[in-house]
Amino acid sequence: MKQVNLFLFSISFFIIISCNKETIDKKTDYKNLLLNLGNDVILATYADLDAKTIDLVNALTQLEANPTDDNLLFAKNAWRAARIPWELSEGFLFGPVDQQGIDPSIDSWPVNQPDLDAVLSSSNQLNKAYIDGLDGTLKGFHTIEYLIFGIDGQKAVNQFTTRQFEYLKACAQSLEGATQQLYYAWKPDQKNFIANVINAGDVGNNIYPSQKSALEEVMNGLVVIADEVANGKINDPLSQQNANLEESRFSSNSKQDFANNIRSIKNVYLGIYKNSFGLGISSIVANQNSKLDQKVKIELDAAILAIESIQGTFTSAIFNAKPSVENAQQKVRALQLTLESEVLPIISNL
Amino acid sequence: MKLVQFLLSLGILIIFSCQLKDEVNIQADEDLKLGGETSITGSYIQGFQQPAANLSALELELHRSSDKAFGDIFVTAPSTINGGLGPIFNQNSCENCHVSNGRSPFPNDFNDLRGLLIRLSIDGAGNHGEPNPVPNFGGQLQTKAIFGKNPEAKLSWNKIEEIQTFLDGEQIKLSKPNFTFINSYVALPQNVLYSPRIAPPIIGLGLVEAIKESDLLAIEDQNDANNDGISGKANRVWDYQNAVIAIGRFGWKAGQPNLIQQTAAAYNQDMGITNPYFKTESSFGQQQYDASNDDPEIDDLTLKSATFYPQSVAVPKRRNTTDPTVRSGKKLFLQIKCGTCHHPKFITGQHSEYAFLSNQIIFPYSDFLLHDMGDGLADNRQEFDANGKEWRTPPLWGVGLTKTVGGNNANYLHDGRASTLEEAIMWHGGESENSKENFRKLSKTERNALIKFLESL
């Protein structure tokens, strides 16, 4: 009898394990992964964005006070530096950036040049409050870009008017207001949107009923930006042979913009930002299909390399070095396809 | 004996250990795929931004390029690209009203109204039954203007509050915005009629377009012949392209017959972008008309592209359909006759252009007909056959994702007055008075179950 009992005990144990295997697997805890993505990637990127736009405010304040060639170069570099974390954030364009209507104040494009000229010619007082009240096409990164680099990218310090210096400073202050709003929207001791991501699946989470739904969100964000780089940002100017369709053409910053968009995907995929290494989507993919994980990593680097290998400026390359632009587009499309048709299903089937 | 005992125990063990799994396998509800084969799975912020699941590779590519048209931002003319904004407008892109493709959040700030706008008219109707435009303002209040022109007016509002009490004694606070026009560029006439409107979600619109007209007309009951206190009539509106009266399907009062006209009217009125359907500026005949010779400001391809985007957006599937609370909530929803107007099911006919919209079994939970909703919701402004108390039943698919997609300020009803689904129900009146009163009589557990059902949509 004892032996039978022991046998029974063993077999029941076996049955319980085998019947519940699927259930246990489905309950893999992604808390650490979401914690890392939320804190070390998303929040850290937004913190950087706000810090770099504060630098931009300072640079443009300095330029207004002391308009020299050096200070103009300094301002141009500050613009490029602030642009980096913004492009690095475009892999996760969900939540407050959209819901609170922040995106138009940061990245509206194109610039409303006729209205900008009219505002500058007017006697309206140019301060942060005034700029805050204007439409997105009269402020944000691209308006600042247009004013400091000039329409041909060659603007010299003696070509600025006093009103332009004033406008630039106020515009940077307004941009910083928007990046701070965005950072604070996520920051735990402020509006704490990050809690929705980190605590996905917890009782009372109004946004994400499961960790899977938060991961689907993140994954969709990656697909969206890969699509936008390949089929929008690169494709529109290239296929229509029209440089006016290029977003950062005044500064010739497009190649950096595109590459940083792909790095945004890479940061989320690997769970890295700057020097911090953590858990990302990669850990899930590697667990199920290590070959696919390797493929994604290779395609990420290939896309970045191909974008950076576009010959000369993007503006010139769409006419004079089309194969190098087409190659970059092809590499980003390959990445997009892999993310969409191979990685996304893994997350959707978790 | 021992063997019998053993087998019996083993049997019980197997039954117990595997029971959990069987419970999960309860057959899903018929309405799981709210949008038929266009439906996608998911509960996240970008849930309204997914392409329909049944697009062909070519259609998917078209969807992606049409997404860009939907996001394009317009600026003042002359511009090398996207010129022609205004001179008066409400927003500069489709996306700025249709936030994440969902319900526009109720604005925090009267300087940026997002997807809130005000329709205007004076008493009477035009040749085709359309609302009579207000001299110097037209049919819509444009609250923004390009530099050098003036917004027609700015809006200000206060909230009027009232308390309603459920039968079990619990109270609920209802509030509605009471709008006033400030700094109008010329005086508004005393007899102006106005109707606030919040931009609705754009999911499933192509499917609505594909519903057979005969199916809509079959559920009309203009004179309440079946004596259930609920009538329901289709709006008869003007189809500008074909110059005929047509059944209205889109908009809070079903004032638009199809999506291309809806889109073209939005370009024209909301953004001041003239197009092949509406070639005259919204400011034509008014003091701020720009008289520039650049119309139409977008071509047919752009208009079609921006139309295809909402036509090809997926409807998310229902969630938690096997949850017993959700199931009992669904029963209650039908028991108290919410489903009479929020008509659950249609089978679409042949869509005139896209096969992926045809023959779909869909669950919009709307009859797309006009109903008298009582004084509480009335805007007292006529739009074709819709009188000042009548509204089109809004579809409920996706309503459970409203706050997920749009955030906490994404509210319900035509002017975004209801911050919860329970408030939205308690605003119902007129033909829906009985259903509302029956909801009032439910216990808290039952009310919560009904809300849980709505949240599963």
Side-chain angles (χ1 to χ4, degrees):
Chain A
M1 186 64 192
K2 253 187 184 172
Q3 271 184 341
V4 172
N5 271 344
L6 189 67
F7 175 66
L8 248 171
F9 179 74
S10 316
I11 201 163
S12 66
F13 197 74
F14 170 73
I15 290 167
I16 288 166
I17 297 280
S18 58
C19 275
N20 282 339
K21 187 174 182 295
E22 203 181 348
T23 323
I24 290 166
D25 277 353
K26 283 194 172 177
K27 282 188 179 160
T28 303
D29 191 357
Y30 299 107
K31 178 103 182 176
N32 285 336
L33 195 158
L34 291 168
L35 203 64
N36 179 58
L37 284 182
N39 276 320
D40 294 349
V41 181
I42 299 178
L43 191 65
T45 306
Y46 283 143
D48 250 14
L49 173 63
D50 193 40
K52 298 294 179 197
T53 56
I54 291 172
D55 291 348
L56 181 61
V57 172
N58 293 336
L60 289 168
T61 306
Q62 194 175 311
L63 180 65
E64 187 198 19
N66 190 10
T68 62
D69 288 342
D70 282 352
N71 281 339
L72 177 57
L73 183 64
F74 188 65
K76 287 177 175 176
N77 289 337
W79 184 89
R80 289 189 204 278
R83 190 79 185 151
I84 295 170
W86 171 252
E87 296 300 310
L88 289 178
S89 80
E90 289 199 312
F92 38 88
L93 281 176
F94 58 84
V97 68
D98 222 10
Q99 292 174 341
Q100 296 183 20
I102 303 173
D103 188 305
S105 300
I106 295 180
D107 199 34
S108 276
W109 181 90
V111 177
N112 193 331
Q113 291 175 23
D115 276 18
L116 183 58
D117 291 344
V119 172
L120 289 167
S121 305
S122 75
S123 55
N124 292 352
Q125 201 189 344
L126 304 176
N127 53 32
K128 178 179 179 291
Y130 177 74
I131 306 284
D132 283 345
L134 295 176
D135 253 19
T137 53
L138 289 167
K139 60 186 177 189
F141 273 116
H142 293 296
T143 297
I144 295 174
E145 180 199 9
Y146 170 67
L147 283 175
I148 54 180
F149 290 90
I151 200 154
D152 56 0
Q154 305 291 322
K155 195 168 175 181
V157 77
N158 59 11
Q159 292 173 293
F160 284 75
T161 65
T162 311
R163 294 273 292 171
Q164 288 180 350
F165 287 130
E166 282 173 30
Y167 196 95
L168 274 167
K169 184 176 76 177
C171 209
Q173 288 167 341
S174 178
L175 174 64
E176 196 278 317
T179 59
Q180 188 191 70
Q181 188 190 346
L182 181 53
Y183 174 42
Y184 281 14
W186 281 80
K187 206 165 178 268
D189 60 356
Q190 296 282 336
K191 301 279 173 68
N192 199 18
F193 184 83
I194 196 172
N196 295 302
V197 176
I198 292 171
N199 303 323
D202 286 5
V203 176
N205 188 314
N206 291 325
I207 310 258
Y208 303 116
S210 62
Q211 291 182 334
K212 177 183 144 177
S213 59
L215 291 169
E216 284 184 295
E217 185 89 83
V218 168
M219 205 47 229
N220 269 292
L222 303 189
V223 173
V224 166
I225 195 63
D227 170 57
E228 201 180 318
V229 173
N231 304 319
K233 293 181 180 191
I234 294 179
N235 187 65
D236 289 352
L238 176 67
S239 67
Q240 295 178 45
Q241 289 288 287
N242 183 352
N244 289 322
L245 299 173
E246 178 193 348
E247 266 193 42
S248 294
R249 79 173 192 281
F250 306 128
S251 58
S252 295
N253 207 59
S254 297
K255 280 159 61 178
Q256 286 91 317
D257 279 6
F258 305 159
N260 285 326
N261 277 164
I262 306 304
R263 286 193 185 96
S264 179
I265 300 173
K266 187 174 175 176
N267 290 351
V268 172
Y269 187 75
L270 298 177
I272 57 168
Y273 183 61
K274 292 181 165 174
N275 298 321
S276 92
F277 285 81
L279 283 168
I281 304 288
S282 166
S283 63
I284 302 172
V285 177
N287 195 30
Q288 296 201 16
N289 183 343
S290 60
K291 271 189 185 164
L292 175 61
D293 180 52
Q294 283 307 316
K295 182 179 169 191
V296 175
K297 288 173 180 167
I298 289 167
E299 287 181 345
L300 278 164
D301 289 334
I304 294 168
L305 181 68
I307 290 166
E308 290 182 335
S309 306
I310 291 172
Q311 289 165 30
T313 64
F314 182 77
T315 320
S316 127
I318 57 170
F319 304 106
N320 306 320
K322 274 166 83 174
S324 70
V325 183
E326 283 159 0
N327 178 50
Q329 183 183 32
Q330 204 183 1
K331 295 290 190 290
V332 182
R333 273 190 178 153
L335 173 67
Q336 179 211 348
L337 197 68
T338 305
L339 293 175
E340 191 170 11
S341 58
E342 296 185 65
V343 182
L344 188 57
I346 287 182
I347 303 300
S348 300
N349 290 321
L350 281 178
Chain B
M1 182 61 191
K2 272 182 187 170
L3 186 67
V4 171
Q5 199 180 27
F6 166 68
L7 283 176
L8 195 69
S9 313
L10 187 64
I12 288 168
L13 263 172
I14 291 171
I15 289 163
F16 267 90
S17 58
C18 293
Q19 195 182 30
L20 187 75
K21 216 177 152 203
D22 290 341
E23 270 178 8
V24 179
N25 286 342
I26 293 172
Q27 201 175 353
D29 287 15
E30 184 200 23
D31 59 358
L32 177 72
K33 291 181 180 178
L34 292 167
E37 297 308 311
T38 74
S39 309
I40 54 117
T41 309
S43 175
Y44 44 88
I45 298 172
Q46 296 161 98
F48 287 1
Q49 294 169 284
Q50 304 303 317
N54 59 345
L55 297 181
S56 68
L58 197 69
E59 285 160 346
L60 185 61
E61 206 171 304
L62 198 61
H63 172 85
R64 299 231 190 270
S65 62
S66 69
D67 187 357
K68 288 199 290 276
F70 206 75
D72 267 350
I73 295 177
F74 288 87
V75 294
T76 307
S79 171
T80 48
I81 51 159
N82 300 355
L85 177 70
I88 49 173
F89 60 101
N90 294 94
Q91 283 295 358
N92 59 12
S93 77
C94 307
E95 248 174 32
N96 279 351
C97 284
H98 298 283
V99 176
S100 304
N101 290 350
R103 221 166 279 264
S104 176
F106 192 86
N108 287 321
D109 178 356
F110 68 85
N111 276 319
D112 190 4
L113 301 176
R114 320 250 356 231
L116 173 70
L117 57 77
I118 309 278
R119 293 271 160 77
L120 300 173
S121 55
I122 51 174
D123 221 4
N127 289 339
H128 308 298
E130 72 277 14
N132 259 337
V134 181
N136 272 316
F137 290 87
Q140 185 166 309
L141 190 77
Q142 280 84 17
T143 44
K144 292 185 178 189
I146 62 168
F147 192 86
K149 305 281 182 182
N150 294 304
E152 291 189 318
K154 290 279 185 184
L155 280 186
S156 143
W157 60 87
N158 61 324
K159 296 270 175 93
I160 300 173
E161 294 181 347
E162 65 172 270
I163 302 289
Q164 292 270 337
T165 310
F166 294 108
L167 192 68
D168 65 9
E170 189 174 296
Q171 294 191 323
I172 182 170
K173 188 169 75 182
L174 303 183
S175 86
K176 71 170 172 181
N178 178 43
F179 292 98
T180 45
F181 306 108
I182 50 174
N183 302 330
S184 66
Y185 84 108
V186 293
L188 268 157
Q190 288 296 312
N191 58 343
V192 70
L193 305 171
Y194 69 92
S195 180
R197 308 283 175 94
I198 280 272
I202 63 160
I203 54 168
L205 297 182
L207 294 166
V208 178
E209 199 166 46
I211 295 173
K212 280 183 262 182
E213 188 170 300
S214 56
D215 286 349
L216 293 176
L217 297 180
I219 51 175
E220 264 194 317
D221 184 15
Q222 292 208 28
N223 304 312
D224 191 17
N226 66 357
N227 217 12
D228 64 354
I230 295 170
S231 65
K233 74 177 174 202
N235 204 350
R236 269 77 175 173
V237 304
W238 190 243
D239 177 334
Y240 285 84
Q241 192 72 354
N242 300 308
V244 290
I245 298 279
I247 298 299
R249 294 171 191 244
F250 301 99
W252 285 100
K253 292 213 178 205
Q256 298 291 358
N258 53 52
L259 280 172
I260 196 156
Q261 184 170 313
Q262 163 72 40
T263 308
Y267 267 120
N268 186 269
Q269 290 292 316
D270 303 354
M271 298 190 267
I273 300 295
T274 53
N275 56 71
Y277 267 59
F278 298 105
K279 296 188 181 86
T280 334
E281 288 285 5
S282 62
S283 54
F284 181 75
Q286 301 170 20
Q287 294 183 17
Q288 307 207 80
Y289 178 54
D290 64 5
S292 66
N293 188 24
D294 59 357
D295 306 310
E297 290 154 339
I298 54 166
D299 60 15
D300 205 40
L301 195 67
T302 307
L303 175 60
K304 282 199 172 127
S305 195
T307 306
F308 183 67
Y309 182 65
Q311 278 171 326
S312 55
V313 165
V315 179
K317 286 180 196 168
R318 282 188 66 201
R319 301 153 308 283
N320 306 321
T321 52
T322 55
D323 180 335
T325 311
V326 169
R327 297 204 145 188
S328 71
K330 184 175 178 180
K331 262 188 211 145
L332 287 164
F333 176 89
L334 297 170
Q335 259 167 27
I336 66 170
K337 306 253 186 295
C338 306
T340 312
C341 300
H342 289 287
H343 185 82
K345 180 180 176 182
F346 285 97
I347 300 174
T348 63
Q350 297 297 318
H351 188 271
S352 57
E353 289 173 276
Y354 306 110
F356 70 91
L357 297 168
S358 304
N359 307 315
Q360 296 298 318
I361 303 168
I362 61 168
F363 298 87
Y365 285 92
S366 170
D367 59 6
F368 302 99
L369 301 178
L370 301 170
H371 298 275
D372 181 326
M373 295 301 291
D375 292 328
L377 285 170
D379 66 352
N380 301 309
R381 176 181 179 270
Q382 188 183 339
E383 188 174 337
F384 296 97
D385 284 358
N387 69 32
K389 289 185 185 179
E390 287 175 324
W391 297 95
R392 184 200 71 157
T393 312
L396 296 179
W397 49 19
V399 77
L401 292 173
T402 299
K403 305 250 172 204
T404 302
V405 169
N408 281 337
N409 288 348
N411 294 348
Y412 310 94
L413 300 175
H414 65 277
D415 55 4
R417 68 177 66 182
S419 57
T420 65
L421 287 164
E422 206 164 41
E423 286 175 36
I425 294 168
M426 293 309 288
W427 274 110
H428 283 56
E431 293 174 35
S432 57
E433 184 72 19
N434 286 341
S435 291
K436 192 250 315 265
E437 286 308 314
N438 285 330
F439 181 74
R440 192 199 298 276
K441 289 176 195 151
L442 297 179
S443 70
K444 188 168 176 64
T445 312
E446 290 169 324
R447 293 199 306 272
N448 285 345
L450 196 145
I451 299 297
K452 284 279 176 220
F453 162 65
L454 294 176
E455 287 173 351
S456 78
L457 291 174

